[in-house]
Amino acid sequence: MLKHIPPWIHKGYEHLLTQEVKSAPIPRHVAIIMDGNRRYARKLGQMASFGHIKGADITEKVIEWSCELGIEHLTIYAFSTENFSRPNAEKDKLFELIGLKFDEIGENERTHERRMRVHAIGDIDKLPDMLQESIKNVELVTSGYDRFNLNVAIAYGGRQEIVQAVREIAMMVEKGEIELNNINEDTISNHLYPVGGSALPDVDLIIRTGGDERVSNFLPWQANGNECASYFCAPFWPEFRKIDFLRSIRVYQARVEERKQHATVRAAHFLKALGKAEISEVKHAPLTENAHNRITD
Ligand code: FPP
Ligand code: MG
């Protein structure tokens, strides 16, 4: 609908939305499934690589918007383990493009102004040597930064990530480095692909473009496990606009508000219930950690 309105109205709306979004909590970690590059290219009668090139331009814009809003982690799905089954010609061009983007990021002065740290997460060994070199280089060049983290999931599969973590932990058990009973959620988190030596933080918002409403083996532990907000939208990735991004942040903010309201209602019910209880019962029944968690859930 907004596509057909004059650009100045579009800009005005974008500005208003930006101000609104900035006045509410900003997600710490946003993850994006950038889908629809080839369909976009096909729609314009172009080759798949055209769609990926246009898609990479949008990725750069999203980095800029994320920095502007104060998001700390942006994790993008650049290449899944399933994508290895694509035609060699497409893969070669895509790997070349991603390598080029890493090189540009390493050389771009905005990377340094933004204090942007770059990490690749995935089965990096499966990638062509040239791309592995570009990854190593951009990770090294940005290793001193910490204001904004760009995490690129490449040769990544969520289940494989968990399998690999389980293998590492099993090995530690075998060597007697950890007790079976001491394995907890943190143990698993700490053995998933790390960023800057630490576990990737829980995802607060996951976005998928291109019309499909599924999360395709992307960060199942960090996103699904955290019951993060999700935003599915129809535009193909190269068509993704700032207002789509801002709307996705609004969905996250609505979710935060909903949780707050829910906690307030629960607390009010709890206080009401307390009022009905005998004073002596209340006095002698200290709030257990469990009960506390339930009312603030
Ligand atoms: C999904 O669309 C997109 C990809 C598999 C590649 C995404 C990669 C980039 C945009 C490069 C960005 C990289 C950096 C480091 C800036 P698709 O190919 O599945 O398209 P379809 O859903 O229409 O088939
Ligand atoms: Mg796709």
Side-chain angles (χ1 to χ4, degrees), residues 10-289:
H10 185 108
K11 269 282 152 211
Y13 177 58
E14 186 184 288
H15 184 72
L16 177 72
L17 215 49
T18 306
Q19 296 317 310
E20 280 173 6
V21 159
K22 279 186 176 171
S23 66
I26 297 295
R28 178 175 179 223
H29 185 180
V30 175
I32 311 188
I33 302 173
M34 317 178 285
D35 199 21
N37 287 355
R38 293 180 303 181
R39 280 169 283 163
Y40 173 79
R42 213 174 301 136
K43 192 169 82 170
L44 299 179
Q46 299 279 350
M47 308 277 284
S49 55
F50 174 85
H52 295 316
I53 292 169
K54 292 290 170 195
D57 291 344
I58 296 300
T59 309
E60 282 170 16
K61 288 201 174 131
V62 174
I63 293 170
E64 184 187 315
W65 304 333
S66 300
C67 288
E68 181 195 340
L69 294 178
I71 290 164
E72 284 176 42
H73 279 268
L74 175 69
T75 303
I76 52 170
Y77 210 172
F79 195 86
S80 69
T81 41
E82 290 79 16
N83 291 154
F84 277 111
S85 60
R86 292 195 177 189
N88 283 336
E90 184 191 340
K91 279 188 295 188
D92 290 347
K93 284 214 165 109
L94 188 50
F95 290 145
E96 197 185 318
L97 172 70
I98 296 172
L100 195 75
K101 290 294 156 189
F102 279 134
D103 296 344
E104 279 175 16
I105 289 172
E107 285 159 17
N108 194 328
E109 64 185 43
R110 269 182 306 174
T111 302
H112 308 283
E113 283 163 17
R114 288 171 178 155
R115 303 190 58 77
M116 173 164 107
R117 186 163 189 176
V118 182
H119 273 291
I121 55 168
D123 220 342
I124 307 303
D125 296 350
K126 294 214 175 98
L127 298 167
D129 290 346
M130 284 270 281
L131 180 49
Q132 290 193 38
E133 271 307 304
S134 298
I135 290 172
K136 249 189 243 155
N137 184 53
V138 76
E139 286 186 338
L140 182 70
V141 167
T142 62
S143 60
Y145 299 145
D146 56 3
R147 193 185 299 151
F148 176 71
N149 297 275
L150 173 69
N151 312 307
V152 183
I154 178 164
Y156 174 89
R159 286 189 168 196
Q160 286 83 336
E161 182 181 29
I162 294 172
V163 167
Q164 164 282 124
V166 169
R167 281 198 188 124
E168 280 180 26
I169 297 165
M171 194 89 86
M172 288 172 71
V173 173
E174 200 173 78
K175 289 187 190 157
E177 291 169 3
I178 189 170
E179 292 270 332
L180 204 57
N181 286 337
N182 289 341
I183 296 173
N184 55 28
E185 290 189 9
D186 286 343
T187 322
I188 310 267
S189 296
N190 291 332
H191 283 84
L192 300 173
Y193 297 123
V195 292
S198 318
L200 187 70
D202 279 345
V203 173
D204 300 304
L205 167 67
I206 191 163
I207 301 170
R208 181 178 188 138
T209 60
D212 277 348
E213 299 199 356
R214 54 200 168 87
V215 288
S216 297
N217 205 13
F218 189 40
L219 305 172
W221 182 271
Q222 303 89 337
N224 265 16
N226 187 39
E227 292 187 41
C228 68
S230 46
Y231 184 79
F232 300 104
C233 62
F236 299 137
W237 179 245
E239 299 170 328
F240 191 69
R241 303 156 303 176
K242 190 175 183 186
I243 58 169
D244 298 310
F245 189 57
L246 293 167
R247 283 171 174 169
S248 75
I249 311 277
R250 264 205 328 207
V251 165
Y252 162 80
Q253 293 173 338
R255 182 77 186 283
V256 170
E257 191 53 38
E258 210 176 83
R259 280 189 175 175
K260 227 162 54 185
Q261 302 251 340
H262 186 64
T264 312
V265 169
R266 297 292 300 276
H269 282 160
F270 180 70
L271 288 174
K272 210 168 146 193
L274 276 187
K276 282 184 189 152
E278 291 293 330
I279 297 294
S280 60
E281 268 181 72
V282 175
K283 265 191 188 159
H284 300 294
L287 198 56
T288 61
E289 197 184 324

